Amino acid sequence: MKKINTIKISTASLISATLVSLFVAFSTVAGGLYHPYKVWLKEIFYHHWIGKSILSAVLFLLLIIVCYFLIKDDKEIRSIYFKVLFWAVILSSVAILAFNIYEVF
């Protein structure tokens, strides 16, 4: 039985978390600007936030699997992925906040 490479799993998780963070921000803004998308989420998942949550979880798991097989085993590049994740979360948070402020005013 082949041993699971925990470094590759953690790197794949960093990449997946980064992409899912951007997906949530994009999905939130898209749902606010493009009403059929929000309706589709409600019809399929009962509520648009439940839909975004389920899609985010599925996307996260799929991306971990894909990234695990595509990335190289490199400890040094992982620190870069931490920085990218940090800035992606900041950018996503600012985008959602800015969109909500735009929607209110």
Side-chain angles (χ1 to χ4, degrees):
M1 190 164 141
K2 189 175 178 181
K3 186 177 177 182
I4 295 175
N5 187 335
T6 56
I7 294 171
K8 280 181 76 172
I9 289 177
S10 64
T11 305
S13 297
L14 287 169
I15 295 168
S16 299
T18 301
L19 294 174
V20 168
S21 169
L22 297 172
F23 167 76
V24 169
F26 176 79
S27 186
T28 300
V29 173
L33 296 176
Y34 186 65
H35 192 67
Y37 176 65
K38 196 173 200 177
V39 170
W40 177 78
L41 288 171
K42 285 179 186 177
E43 288 176 357
I44 301 296
F45 300 104
Y46 180 71
H47 193 274
H48 61 98
W49 273 113
I50 294 172
K52 287 180 213 175
S53 299
I54 291 171
L55 290 176
S56 296
V58 170
L59 182 64
F60 182 73
L61 293 174
L62 288 175
L63 285 171
I64 286 177
I65 294 167
V66 169
C67 290
Y68 181 81
F69 291 108
L70 293 180
I71 61 174
K72 294 182 179 184
D73 188 8
D74 190 358
K75 291 180 183 179
E76 291 180 13
I77 199 155
R78 204 165 27 137
S79 66
I80 294 170
Y81 288 134
F82 273 113
K83 293 174 187 172
V84 171
L85 174 60
F86 173 80
W87 288 110
V89 169
I90 296 295
L91 177 67
S92 298
S93 300
V94 169
I96 292 171
L97 178 64
F99 177 70
N100 284 325
I101 290 171
Y102 168 78
E103 286 285 301
V104 169
F105 299 110

